[in-house]
């Protein structure tokens, strides 16, 4: 993950798509992360995405974040 301003950007691959969340694999550490986002239905399994979020992550298994923005990897990385 890289820090930009006060936000953090995670580049990941989508593993599962649900109505308001994505399960992704973080490229930096191969960890699964549950991403809460209203536009989850815009993505598909296998797609690479960049996720901007506050940096806050739960200690649950898998960890969870709330995305400020999710875009296809070719748009922001």
């Amino acid at each position: 993950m890289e820090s930009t301003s006060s936000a953090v950007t995670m580049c990941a691959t989508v593993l599962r798509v649900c109505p308001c969340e994505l399960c992704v694999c973080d490229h930096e550490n191969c960890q699964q992360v549950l991403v809460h986002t209203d536009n989850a239905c815009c993505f598909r399994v296998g797609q690479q995405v960049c996720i901007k979020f506050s940096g806050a992550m739960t200690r649950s298994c898998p960890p969870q974040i709330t995305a400020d923005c999710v875009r296809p990897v070719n748009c922001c990385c």
Side-chain angles (χ1 to χ4, degrees):
M1 283 179 273
E2 73 183 38
S3 200
T4 55
S5 305
S6 58
V8 173
T9 301
M10 174 190 297
C11 291
T13 300
V14 177
L15 301 175
R16 186 177 72 237
V17 178
C18 295
C20 291
E21 63 189 33
L22 300 170
C23 182
V24 301
C25 179
D26 182 353
H27 291 175
E28 184 175 297
N29 57 22
C30 296
Q31 180 178 28
Q32 287 188 21
V33 178
L34 195 62
V35 181
H36 299 283
T37 178
D38 290 336
N39 67 342
C41 61
C42 297
F43 301 97
R44 59 178 168 41
V45 172
Q47 189 171 18
Q48 294 186 28
V49 295
C50 285
I51 304 158
K52 291 189 180 179
F53 68 107
S54 69
M57 185 179 288
T58 67
R59 293 185 181 194
S60 59
C61 188
Q64 299 178 39
I65 62 173
T66 299
D68 295 324
C69 179
V70 182
R71 297 189 186 270
V73 76
N74 58 351
C75 292
C76 64
C77 284

